Amino acid sequence: MPQLSRDWGVPQESAARATTVFAVAYAWGSLAGGPLSDRYGRRTILAGTVAAMAVATALVPLATGLPWASAARALQGLTAGSFVPMSYASLSERVPERLPLALTTVHAVGGASAVVSQIEGQVLGSALGWRAVFLVSAPLLAVEALALRRILLPGTVGTPGRDAAGEGGLRVLRSARLLRLLVIVVPLLGSLTAIYTVVQLYGPADLVGDPGAMLGLRASALPAMVLAAPRARPFPPAAAGRRLTHSAPNSR
């Protein structure tokens, strides 16, 4: 935050808005990813969004001020948000017999990556400046997009069944029941970003302006992800499906 504040000529509190913009766009991308992949195929949307995220990531360090940086971060969040729900959908189709293990593994890796990437970003930012974080990440994302395109099996797209699934997903997104669920979930998951941002900006005093202490704080969350996540169990999909489809009778 101090580096962003200095380079963009804004207070640290204002620089933090770029993170908020990313998080809000990430949420919208998560909602849109499922219906889009139902209609156009998991591989096409997964590889395409990661490729678009590589472009958006490369644009962030080119921004000369907070407005342009926020726009690039919004695009980055929008493309990043669809990855997790679409990966879950792909696993449910490809490995249904081992779905609990597959979902738990992906969730554990995703949670751990949130910690590891923060540590990576802090190390790179301290050594080479904040722009290096994005300039290193962009080509890695491009390689990942190519890997997804090569590894994932092509799905059947444009069929009546898949189109109906996409339309059903849109109906679920418009349901009042899901809106109430989002009101609960957004502050719950948003607290992860909020806690680190508030601590870095406002204290405790031992953490403000001390990259080493912040690094230790972030790293302390990793053992919990490694040890606790593999023991988690998902809710039965039938029960979750019944709750959502009550508000969208014709959805899948």
Side-chain angles (χ1 to χ4, degrees):
M1 292 299 171
Q3 294 182 34
L4 297 177
S5 172
R6 182 175 61 253
D7 288 355
W8 293 340
V10 296
Q12 290 191 45
E13 293 81 356
S14 298
R17 294 174 188 169
T19 302
T20 303
V21 168
F22 174 92
V24 172
Y26 185 98
W28 283 107
S30 298
L31 293 174
L36 285 174
S37 66
D38 281 337
R39 179 154 297 185
Y40 300 108
R42 313 290 186 215
R43 185 176 73 168
T44 299
I45 301 300
L46 270 169
T49 53
V50 174
M53 183 163 51
V55 175
T57 301
L59 291 176
V60 175
L62 302 178
T64 56
L66 182 59
W68 285 108
S70 297
R73 287 286 281 164
L75 179 60
Q76 191 186 33
L78 189 66
T79 53
S82 58
F83 184 84
V84 171
M86 283 192 294
S87 65
Y88 287 169
S90 180
L91 289 171
S92 68
E93 294 170 351
R94 300 301 182 184
V95 288
E97 70 283 354
R98 304 190 70 185
L99 188 58
L101 175 62
L103 293 181
T104 302
T105 301
V106 171
H107 185 73
V109 172
S113 72
V115 179
V116 172
S117 61
Q118 289 174 355
I119 296 173
E120 173 200 2
Q122 186 166 336
V123 171
L124 283 174
S126 299
L128 303 174
W130 68 268
R131 289 182 172 86
V133 179
F134 296 90
L135 294 175
V136 169
S137 298
L140 293 177
L141 287 167
V143 171
E144 291 169 8
L146 293 174
L148 284 169
R149 185 71 183 176
R150 181 176 180 84
I151 293 171
L152 292 177
L153 295 173
T156 303
V157 299
T159 64
R162 188 171 290 280
D163 288 345
E167 293 171 3
L170 291 174
R171 281 194 293 271
V172 170
L173 293 182
R174 292 193 296 264
S175 69
R177 184 183 296 271
L178 184 62
L179 180 60
R180 293 195 295 270
L181 179 63
L182 292 176
V183 171
I184 298 172
V185 171
V186 167
L188 177 66
L189 298 182
S191 63
L192 176 64
T193 299
I195 287 174
Y196 282 117
T197 302
V198 169
V199 165
Q200 187 175 10
L201 291 177
Y202 302 112
D206 294 340
L207 294 175
V208 177
D210 187 344
M214 284 298 302
L215 189 65
L217 176 65
R218 290 177 169 128
S220 68
L222 192 56
M225 295 304 307
V226 174
L227 296 175
R231 292 170 173 78
R233 292 292 182 270
F235 289 106
R242 282 196 301 270
R243 289 188 175 275
L244 287 179
T245 53
H246 283 167
S247 58
N250 296 321
S251 64
R252 286 177 56 184

